[in-house]
Every structure is written in structure tokens, then in C-alpha cells.
Amino acid sequence: MPISGPVVHQQLMDAYTQTQARLEKIREGTGQAEQQLGRLDEDRGNSLIKLAEYYLPELTPDAIRQTWAEVQPAISQVFRRKEQESQRLRSELADVTDRRRDQDATLVTITQELDNAVDSQARVASDVEQRLRDDESFAGLSDRAAVAEASLERAESNLHEIEQDSARKLPAYQDSSLFKYLNERGFGTPDYSHRGLTRRMDRWVAKMIDYNKAKQGYDFLRKTPEQMRAIIAEDRQSLDTVMGELERRRDQVAAELGLPDMIHATQSIQVRRDEQLKLIDESLRQSNLTQSRLTATDDSRGEYYREAIQIFRDMLRQIDSRDLKRRAQSTIDLSDDQIVAQLVDVETKIGSISQAAQQQQVKTVRMQSFLEDLGRLIQQFRSAGFDSSRSQFVGTLDIMSELDRAIEAGHTGMMWNEIRSAQRWGPTAMEQITRVATHPMTQVLINAMAHAAAGALQEHARQAGRRWDQQDRTWGGSNSGRGGRSRW
């Protein structure tokens, strides 16, 4: 059973929400690893102090304790700033997410309103077309327009052929020095004034190259295209006159049934929808930016972490654990060996957890990138109008399964291809697609003409309407030379 566009749209929004939740879960894992690192750093410091107090008076335990006491607040301050920034970004992200969720809901409402308006407009447009088809005068004008269009098409085709023929053959005349000589003298015309030997020689040359026949062909190739253009211009003017009358009758019936007002209302809703899409795009941009900043803040190798590590390294320059281990091994008492062993164990755990945190960070960056990609896919979905109720998808489309495959691949390319291949337009949607290239009023005229014209002339009538529309767009909607053509 087909799935409607709004349902798939909601599934995509749910998929985005679920992907956000996955990203937050990965971030939580990164945060837990950092908390463990913080506790291990504290254990390491305590072990250093304990070892110094036990065995290394020459390193001055008071100085060591004082050094650690000085560095600990600095590190704690860095992590406090990091947590504050992280909390601020999470709050900002929550606000943006809430705003985007409200905007999505508003878009769904506007899209449904637009669908209803388009359906109402289509019904009235159908009534207008039916009225025009039943009008005998309109049918007669449609036949005239179709006949004129057929004649015009033939003339344009002939003109194209003669222009090609001229372009191919005229150079041969221009390259013939004897033909050019006689032609430039005006041989065979009242302008030719030579006498005596010159005249006899020119006649001999003309007979030799069959100049009279060549001149006829040359004049035909040179003058016929221009003459045909003049005839075509007259034919176009005649067709425009008929089309102007057809359009006037259409406008009259459309106004009686209120179609122009409906078109204006539909266009206004479309403008609102476009504006809403811009708001959503901006919210998505802000969301992506905040997500990126939050990922950078939580990065175990990020700015805050590097600052804390630098402080810690400055302290370690004064206390080398390897030196402590060598000193402890040189003693008979095992107490200091146990303390150093604890210190080494802590450092081993720090290295292991740091590596795990880095792997978690890679997952965070990958999922964040995918989330942005999914946001762009939803934008494409909406821009294509796939969220409309006139849009349908084959029943086998499973968005959540496609989401899992896309996450595994790390991008939404295949997911978008599946969505596009599963998409279908309903009957009224096909009419809407046709209207994309023309104004709805023009489409009404084309449809009415095609149905009103006699069977053999239907396609020519349709083409006449298309030509009328194309000429209007070429002229920028000007009424010049169109008998005050109306624009809706």
C-alpha cells in the first residue's frame, strides 16, 4: 500500500531526532571517559605526594606538595570552564532543536494548507476548462489557432531548411570570380550599360557559365529566407490575434468562477512555505554550528584539554616518575616500590582510557557529520515537494532500515536514491508538475484549447498555447502588441 508524502516526511524527522539521540549517547560516553581521566590524574598526584613524603626528602616534599597544590586548582579551573562551555552549548542546542521542532510542525501545517488550496484551485480550473470546451465559439477559435499553428510550424521548418541550404550553397557563388564579375556589373539588369566588345565578351562568359540560371539560384537563396521571415511574421501576428481572443474568453470565465483569486491565494501560501523553509534552513545551520562547537569542546584533544595537559606537563617537568621508580628500586624497603607500582598502574590506565576517549571522539565526529548530511537530505526532500499529500511512496520503503544502512555507510547518498526511486506523483500532482513550466491560467488555456479543437488538430492547438506562453515570457510579460494582454 502506498505511503503518503507527509508520513514519509514525519518518518524522516523522527529519523533525525533518533540520530541526534545517538550522537548525544556517544557524547555521554566521551564525557564519562574524561571524568575517569580526571579521577586518575588526581590519584596520580596523590601517589606522587605520598612517594615524595616517604622517601625523597632531597626533592623537598613540602615543595612537591606545594607544587601539586598550585597546579591542581589551575587544572580544575580549566575543566570547570570546559564544563560551563559544554553546558552552555547543550542549552543552546536544546533551544535550537525545540525551535526547529516547532518550525517543522508549522511547515507541516502550511504544506497541508497548500495541498488543500492546490486541490481547490485544480477543481475550479477544471470547471473553467469545461466551460470553455462547451463554448462553440471557443472551439472554433481553437481550431483556427491549431490550423494557424500547423501552417506556422511548416513555414518555420521550410525556413530552417532554406537557411541551411543558403549557408551551404552561397559560398560557391561568392567563390566564383566569373559569376561575381557579371553580378557586380549588373549583367542582365537595366543597370548594365556596357556596349561593343565588352558586351559581347560578357555575353560569351555568361553563356559559358550559364549565368542566367546561376543568377536565379543565387537570388532565390539570398532573398527567399527574408521573404519567408516576413510571411512568418504575418502568420504569427494572425495567430496572436486569435490567441488574444481565446485568452480574453478564458479570462472572462475564470473571473466568473473566481480562479484568479484562488491562484493568488495559493501563491501566497507557497510564499509562506518558502519563507518557512528558509527559517528551518537557518535553524539547521545554527544546529550544525552548535553541534560542531560542542564536539570540539568535548574533544579529549581539544582546546581545553590541551590547556590542562600543558599545565600538568609543566608540573611533571619537576617530578619525573621514571626517576622516582629508579630511586625506589635501589632501596631495600618495599613500601616505596608499592607506591611507585600504584603510580605506574595509574599511568597505564590513563593511557588506556585516553585511547578509548579518542576512539569515542572519532565516533562523535562521524555521527555529527552524518547528522548534518541527514539534515541536507530532509531539505532536498522538502524542496522537491515530496512532503506534499499529492506525493506518494511505494509501500516497501522503510525509512528506519534505510537510516541504519546510511549510518553504516557514513552518508545518505544511497538513502536519497532509494527515496527518489520509491516516489510517485498522484494524478493531481502530475497536473501540478505540468504547471511548473507555465502559469496556471496559461495551463487552463492550453488544456481547454486541446480538448475543444477537432481531434486531428488537438496537438497543434496545444502547441499554439505553448508558443503563446513562451513568447510572453520572452517579452517579459509586456502587453505591447498583445491587445492589452492580461497578467494574473
Side-chain angles (χ1 to χ4, degrees):
M1 185 174 179
I3 310 173
S4 69
V7 170
V8 176
H9 181 223
Q10 184 60 53
Q11 290 175 348
L12 284 172
M13 290 191 293
D14 292 343
Y16 188 90
T17 300
Q18 288 189 19
T19 305
Q20 267 189 320
R22 292 191 188 190
L23 177 58
E24 288 306 314
K25 188 173 182 180
I26 294 174
R27 281 207 179 100
E28 288 177 4
T30 304
Q32 291 172 359
E34 290 188 353
Q35 289 176 2
Q36 287 180 295
L37 285 173
R39 289 194 294 269
L40 289 171
D41 282 338
E42 186 175 348
D43 291 345
R44 185 182 188 283
N46 292 335
S47 296
L48 286 169
I49 293 173
K50 202 184 295 183
L51 184 61
E53 289 177 339
Y54 175 80
Y55 180 68
L56 300 173
E58 67 270 31
L59 292 182
T60 317
D62 291 338
I64 294 175
R65 187 183 296 105
Q66 183 178 358
T67 300
W68 184 252
E70 290 175 353
V71 79
Q72 189 69 14
I75 294 178
S76 298
Q77 185 180 16
V78 171
F79 279 101
R80 276 198 302 271
R81 284 193 287 111
K82 171 186 172 298
E83 289 302 316
Q84 289 172 355
E85 177 65 8
S86 178
Q87 185 60 39
R88 185 190 70 80
L89 290 171
R90 290 179 189 278
S91 177
E92 181 179 315
L93 182 60
D95 291 341
V96 174
T97 301
D98 289 343
R99 182 166 65 252
R100 187 177 53 77
R101 188 177 293 111
D102 292 340
Q103 290 170 343
D104 285 343
T106 300
L107 177 66
V108 170
T109 301
I110 294 176
T111 300
Q112 184 59 54
E113 186 179 348
L114 179 61
D115 289 342
N116 295 337
V118 169
D119 289 342
S120 298
Q121 176 184 311
R123 287 193 294 271
V124 175
S126 179
D127 293 342
V128 172
E129 291 175 14
Q130 190 60 52
R131 284 268 298 269
L132 292 173
R133 295 176 206 168
D134 296 339
D135 185 340
E136 293 183 2
S137 176
F138 185 88
L141 288 169
S142 297
D143 287 343
R144 285 176 55 190
V147 171
E149 173 64 25
S151 176
L152 189 55
E153 287 178 8
R154 286 194 299 272
E156 289 173 338
S157 177
N158 291 337
L159 173 61
H160 180 67
E161 290 182 7
I162 192 62
E163 285 179 333
Q164 287 185 322
D165 207 28
S166 296
R168 186 173 62 255
K169 294 180 178 179
L170 280 177
Y173 290 94
Q174 300 295 337
D175 293 340
S176 173
S177 57
L178 295 178
F179 177 83
K180 286 179 63 178
Y181 164 77
L182 294 175
N183 188 52
E184 290 172 357
R185 283 174 172 253
F187 184 83
T189 69
D191 295 333
Y192 185 79
S193 58
H194 295 281
R195 296 287 185 272
L197 179 61
T198 300
R199 188 181 187 90
R200 288 195 299 274
M201 290 298 295
D202 287 348
R203 284 178 179 175
W204 179 79
V205 172
K207 184 177 181 181
M208 181 180 66
I209 66 172
D210 197 0
Y211 176 76
N212 289 336
K213 183 178 179 181
K215 185 66 164 63
Q216 290 176 356
Y218 176 74
D219 289 342
F220 176 82
L221 293 173
R222 189 171 58 85
K223 296 178 181 179
T224 302
E226 191 60 34
Q227 293 171 349
M228 293 181 69
R229 290 189 191 96
I231 295 173
I232 288 174
E234 293 177 0
D235 290 346
R236 282 176 176 166
Q237 185 61 43
S238 298
L239 177 59
D240 285 351
T241 300
V242 177
M243 290 301 305
E245 180 60 23
L246 284 165
E247 190 175 65
R248 187 189 66 78
R249 291 175 181 266
R250 177 212 60 190
D251 292 348
Q252 181 179 357
V253 175
E256 290 175 1
L257 297 182
L259 181 57
D261 291 338
M262 283 192 167
I263 292 174
H264 178 72
T266 300
Q267 291 173 337
S268 297
I269 298 173
Q270 182 63 57
V271 169
R272 285 170 49 207
R273 186 177 186 275
D274 292 341
E275 291 174 348
Q276 188 67 18
L277 284 174
K278 290 180 181 178
L279 291 176
I280 293 174
D281 289 347
E282 176 60 22
S283 293
L284 184 61
R285 187 193 67 80
Q286 293 179 1
S287 177
N288 291 339
L289 180 60
T290 305
Q291 292 275 16
S292 179
R293 289 175 176 171
L294 181 57
T295 299
T297 299
D298 289 344
D299 188 358
S300 61
R301 293 180 177 270
E303 176 183 354
Y304 289 98
Y305 187 79
R306 288 194 299 271
E307 183 181 348
I309 288 299
Q310 186 58 48
I311 295 172
F312 193 70
R313 284 176 177 171
D314 291 342
M315 182 270 296
L316 288 183
R317 289 193 185 98
Q318 304 175 32
I319 306 175
D320 191 331
S321 59
R322 290 172 298 180
D323 182 56
L324 296 177
K325 184 176 181 180
R326 285 194 302 269
R327 290 173 179 268
Q329 289 175 343
S330 66
T331 66
I332 299 175
D333 196 339
L334 297 179
S335 298
D336 54 347
D337 294 84
Q338 293 174 352
I339 297 173
V340 172
Q342 292 175 0
L343 179 62
V344 172
D345 181 59
V346 168
E347 289 180 338
T348 301
K349 290 180 180 178
I350 288 175
S352 176
I353 294 176
S354 294
Q355 185 177 3
Q358 291 170 19
Q359 294 173 350
Q360 199 76 355
Q361 181 66 17
V362 171
K363 292 181 181 179
T364 300
V365 173
R366 187 171 183 268
M367 185 59 71
Q368 178 193 318
S369 177
F370 178 81
L371 183 66
E372 294 176 5
D373 199 17
L374 181 60
R376 287 189 291 269
L377 182 146
I378 296 175
Q379 288 174 298
Q380 285 181 294
F381 186 90
R382 291 163 174 164
S383 298
F386 288 174
D387 58 333
S388 166
S389 61
R390 298 181 301 279
S391 174
Q392 296 180 345
F393 296 82
V394 296
T396 56
L397 179 65
D398 187 341
I399 291 297
M400 291 308 165
S401 295
E402 294 299 333
L403 176 67
D404 291 337
R405 282 193 286 269
I407 291 176
E408 182 67 24
H411 61 82
T412 61
M414 293 184 294
M415 184 178 183
W416 176 242
N417 289 336
E418 289 296 325
I419 290 173
R420 284 196 304 178
S421 63
Q423 194 272 339
R424 305 288 186 272
W425 291 106
T428 56
M430 288 305 297
E431 297 173 4
Q432 180 68 10
I433 292 173
T434 304
R435 292 189 182 102
V436 170
T438 61
H439 191 278
M441 291 290 284
T442 303
Q443 191 61 43
V444 167
L445 180 63
I446 292 174
N447 291 344
M449 288 175 59
H451 288 89
L457 297 174
Q458 285 187 352
E459 186 54 38
H460 289 302
R462 191 185 304 277
Q463 185 57 38
R466 290 172 180 160
R467 182 192 296 272
W468 177 253
D469 179 52
Q470 291 168 358
Q471 287 178 343
D472 175 67
R473 279 184 278 156
T474 300
W475 297 344
S478 169
N479 292 332
S480 175
R482 308 298 289 256
R485 181 179 182 186
S486 62
R487 300 302 298 156
W488 297 92

